[in-house]
Structure formats: C-alpha cells, structure tokens
Amino acid sequence: EVQLQASGGGLVQAGGSLRLSCAASGFTFGDYGIGWIRQAPGKDREEISCISNNDGTTYYADFVKDRFTISSDDAKNTVYPQMNNLKPEDTAVYSCVAGQCLLNGLGYSAFWGRGTLVTVSS
C-alpha cells in the first residue's frame, strides 16, 4: 500500500520556523521525486517545492525561495522541507506528493498524501 504521511505542522509566530516531514512507503523512493503543495482556505492550491530522489533536482516557488530548504533522507524514505521566516500568508494545509520533480516544478503526480496544517500567527 502506497503511503505518504505528512507531519510536523503546527502553530508558529511570524518569523518562526517549522520542519515538516513526508514519510513515504509502498513504492521505490529513489524512482520518484517528492513535492510539497499547499492550500489555504478559499485559495487555489500552490506548488511550493520538490526534490528528485533520482538526480537531486530541486525546485522552489519564488515566494519561498531563500526561506524554505528541501532535503531528502534516502535511508528513511523521508523528505523534509525546512521552513524559516514564516509569514501569516504561509498558513495553509501542506501536503506531499510523489511524482516527477523538474527544474520548473512538479511534472506528473503519481501519489498524494494527507496534509498537515501550518498556522502562522502575526
């Protein structure tokens, strides 16, 4: 059974940091990239970042560049976005996706996981 389990969300003050985790199982981790998508209430889904476990390609949306860093632990089949200098507009449900990570973002998406809520207070 394919599983993508996002965790690490919570309440943080503006300017603070959080590290999310996406633990993957049920598929060959090295064959896929892992991406992060977020959706705030009443807003469209946004692609944030991704990392290819095949060739190390990474992608960051302009609105998170210089604040978020994505990394992958192949031994744990887990991807971590480190989110720094969080802003109230970063408040959203963050979900991870397994698929193809390209220089300009996610290509196809094969598997989706349930999200974790991040709330940034002002």
Side-chain angles (χ1 to χ4, degrees), residues 28-110:
T28 304
F29 190 69
D31 287 347
Y32 291 86
I34 301 294
W36 286 85
I37 308 289
R38 74 184 186 187
Q39 188 163 23
K43 295 188 177 180
D44 292 336
R45 190 179 292 165
E46 294 181 307
E47 192 176 302
I48 305 164
S49 180
C50 66
I51 184 167
S52 170
N53 293 312
N54 188 332
D55 61 12
T57 297
T58 57
Y59 161 80
Y60 296 95
D62 286 343
F63 55 85
V64 302
K65 277 181 181 176
D66 300 325
R67 298 192 298 128
F68 290 11
T69 303
I70 194 167
S71 61
S72 180
D73 186 334
D74 291 348
K76 296 182 178 180
N77 284 6
T78 301
V79 168
Y80 306 95
Q82 175 67 43
M83 309 189 299
N84 299 324
N85 191 21
L86 284 162
K87 305 175 181 180
E89 53 264 42
D90 293 319
T91 295
V93 174
Y94 287 68
S95 302
C96 53
V97 177
Q100 182 186 36
C101 181
L102 305 172
L103 288 173
N104 59 351
L106 279 169
Y108 71 85
S109 299

